[in-house]
Amino acid sequence: AQAVASAGPCASGVGSGCADLAEGNALIQALQEKSAANKERNEKEARDAYYMKNYPDWFQAAGKTLIKKQSDGTFVAVDDAELESLKRDNRLTLETAKSMGGRVVDYTQKPILVLKE
């Protein structure tokens, strides 16, 4: 039997094994470069999706609601009184989660409350 030798890691188009995995194929190299360029955005998108799938229910049990800030995309937890105040002042909007760089609606997530600033 012939053993398979690992060329090294290649994740998101970055790593010592990427060149070996591309085997000189220009399309694969271009895709690796595109992945490397989008790595930070893709990681943030995956992290935000994880937060919105796993934490809203936990915060809700603690009497808080998770809201995304429109200005910088970070999240803040507010209590019920502050939530009602934000709603009354019309400072909240509803956003449908998207994936793949905003090209595809992610129906696995609930709509997100977004704080208008």
Side-chain angles (χ1 to χ4, degrees):
Q2 196 171 1
V4 176
S6 175
C10 179
S12 299
V14 179
S16 60
C18 290
D20 288 340
L21 290 171
E23 297 178 338
N25 184 311
L27 174 61
I28 300 298
Q29 290 171 336
L31 291 172
Q32 287 174 341
E33 290 170 9
K34 185 177 178 182
S35 291
N38 294 330
K39 181 180 179 193
E40 196 172 305
R41 185 193 74 208
N42 293 340
E43 286 175 350
K44 182 183 182 322
E45 186 177 281
R47 187 174 49 250
D48 288 352
Y50 176 83
Y51 292 159
M52 292 312 296
K53 288 177 186 174
N54 294 293
Y55 288 108
D57 294 335
W58 184 88
F59 280 107
Q60 189 174 24
K64 297 195 179 280
T65 302
L66 202 57
I67 298 174
K68 183 179 177 181
K69 290 183 181 178
Q70 188 176 37
S71 61
D72 60 6
T74 59
F75 294 92
V76 62
V78 299
D79 60 28
D80 292 338
E82 188 174 359
L83 179 64
E84 289 306 315
S85 174
L86 291 170
K87 285 181 181 178
R88 187 175 48 254
D89 295 342
N90 198 29
R91 294 190 57 209
L92 295 175
T93 186
L94 206 56
E95 178 181 284
T96 304
K98 296 191 178 191
S99 62
M100 298 183 70
R103 296 186 314 260
V104 177
V105 175
D106 186 352
Y107 290 109
T108 65
Q109 298 183 53
K110 297 175 185 174
I112 304 166
L113 283 174
V114 178
L115 176 62
K116 297 185 269 185
E117 297 179 288

